[in-house]
Amino acid sequence: MPFVFDQTEIEWPDDESDPPSPRANQFVYLPPPEFGGAREPVHFTLDIPPEPPVPGPVTPAITRPSLWDRLWGRRLPTAQVTPAVKTAAEAWAAREVFTRQRMIAITVPALRELGVQRLYCRYDGGNDEGFSWLDSATLHDGTRVDADALAQRLTEQRFLDRLVAGGVMNRIDGTSERDQIASFVRDWMCTEWATLLLGRGYGTGEYVMYGAFVVDLDACSVVDDPRADPVTSNIEIAR
């Protein structure tokens, strides 16, 4: 899965300035299971599970194991995760699954109607957050379209009406339908598939990373690209 650079190995300058950005050849590729994600190919369904109840607020924080803790099999002591926190975390996870499945069940048929066969999504991040965005979509005839062109086609298809009716999005006053769809296509859509592949909280660790994956709408699968180019939007890679 991602190409990862471990920031715990960085020697910070004495003057407290930021260290130099890592070079592409300093990143190490980790298959998704080694990173903490799922075994490939990751399959998804268009079925929507029953809607779970909305859990109450939870204030206690759960300390996440680092990437390297997961690689070495180290886990948090069970005493750090109380039953109340565990129950609340499971409830929120169920809500996330429900929201994701509802999005997929609406989005995949709409893309298929446009003749889309595959999506190529990129991701990067580290330290606090992971990001994912659409690079291009490939139609069954081999034509490739970028995120803006796909957003325009979905807007003409009245795709926002489907998302609103399905409870996936709300209309935003003062924002055009085209802009709302463009934001969905560029970011949220791929982020949900990235979570399926890489796991919840990808990008939250003492590392920086980048990569890409393919969503096959015919096979309903997600597969990482082990040859992804170092194309990033949220981290810097030295050239």
Side-chain angles (χ1 to χ4, degrees):
M1 130 141 181
F3 291 85
V4 178
F5 175 74
D6 179 12
Q7 289 190 308
T8 62
E9 303 298 324
I10 292 178
E11 293 186 9
W12 289 77
D14 293 335
D15 61 2
E16 298 184 356
S17 62
D18 290 336
S21 299
R23 300 183 303 276
N25 62 6
Q26 292 180 287
F27 285 76
V28 177
Y29 181 78
L30 295 177
E34 293 185 24
F35 179 78
R39 193 170 299 278
E40 301 173 276
V42 179
H43 291 284
F44 57 86
T45 175
L46 304 189
D47 298 333
I48 303 176
E51 183 171 3
V54 178
V58 180
T59 53
I62 301 176
T63 303
R64 294 180 180 273
S66 70
L67 169 66
W68 310 110
D69 287 334
R70 297 199 297 267
L71 289 177
W72 287 101
R74 296 192 290 264
R75 295 293 183 267
L76 292 175
T78 55
Q80 291 183 251
V81 183
T82 66
V85 171
K86 181 179 179 181
T87 299
E90 291 173 347
W92 280 111
R95 290 294 303 181
E96 287 181 10
V97 170
F98 174 75
T99 301
R100 180 187 308 121
Q101 283 301 114
R102 190 163 52 180
M103 182 278 290
I104 289 175
I106 295 172
T107 301
V108 172
L111 293 173
R112 286 175 175 173
E113 290 171 18
L114 295 177
V116 178
Q117 182 181 24
R118 293 187 304 276
L119 302 174
Y120 191 74
C121 302
R122 298 188 182 275
Y123 58 84
D124 65 11
N127 297 307
D128 296 317
E129 194 171 3
F131 304 88
S132 184
W133 64 96
L134 181 66
D135 181 271
S136 63
T138 302
L139 309 185
H140 277 278
D141 63 6
T143 302
R144 294 181 62 184
V145 297
D146 62 18
D148 288 339
L150 183 62
Q152 180 60 39
R153 297 186 186 195
L154 286 170
T155 301
E156 295 168 357
Q157 189 193 51
R158 308 293 297 176
F159 181 50
L160 184 59
D161 290 345
R162 302 190 196 188
L163 294 175
V164 171
V168 174
M169 289 180 64
N170 295 319
R171 295 184 184 278
I172 303 174
D173 293 339
T175 303
S176 69
E177 184 170 332
R178 171 67 173 74
D179 287 345
Q180 290 184 67
I181 293 300
S183 177
F184 175 84
V185 167
R186 283 194 308 266
D187 303 314
W188 186 25
M189 181 177 70
C190 287
T191 297
E192 293 301 320
W193 272 302
T195 301
L196 281 179
L197 177 68
L198 310 178
R200 297 175 63 211
Y202 74 94
T204 52
E206 291 182 286
Y207 57 85
V208 288
M209 55 91 170
Y210 73 87
F213 59 86
V214 177
V215 181
D216 189 319
L217 301 183
D218 291 342
C220 290
S221 65
V222 185
V223 178
D224 199 59
D225 180 4
R227 300 179 180 83
D229 295 326
V231 176
T232 63
S233 290
N234 305 282
I235 68 169
E236 292 186 5
I237 298 179
R239 303 300 178 183

